[in-house]
Amino acid sequence: MNVKNKRAIRTALQTLAAVAAVLPALAALLADSDLAVAAPWIVGAAVSAAGVAGIVSRIMASPAVEALLDRFGLGLVDDGGTAE
């Protein structure tokens, strides 16, 4: 697997972990309200957010976007490294 795909997958997993950390509190909040019917939609939105984060991460790893980010000093510093 190439490095760009690994970064995209890692970003999606990190986003999913962050959302999963918030879901129990959100579920408790929803259980005490009339919004309990929205819980499946909220879980779906959380998973979608992780997927979108992975896609955006993959797009940001493209050479054109990387060149644009380099102009602003936001490019990857480990391009020549052994991160495989």
Side-chain angles (χ1 to χ4, degrees):
M1 182 180 304
N2 77 29
V3 175
K4 293 177 183 178
N5 287 340
K6 285 181 183 178
R7 288 183 182 140
I9 291 169
R10 285 172 47 113
T11 299
L13 290 174
Q14 290 166 357
T15 304
L16 189 60
V19 170
V22 175
L23 279 180
L26 187 59
L29 177 72
L30 288 175
D32 293 337
S33 72
D34 293 334
L35 297 175
V37 295
W41 290 99
I42 292 171
V43 171
V47 172
S48 297
V52 170
I55 292 168
V56 170
S57 173
R58 184 62 177 101
I59 291 169
M60 289 183 69
S62 73
V65 175
E66 187 59 37
L68 178 67
L69 292 174
D70 279 338
R71 286 192 210 171
F72 297 103
L74 299 172
L76 295 174
V77 295
D78 62 347
D79 272 349
T82 59
E84 292 213 22

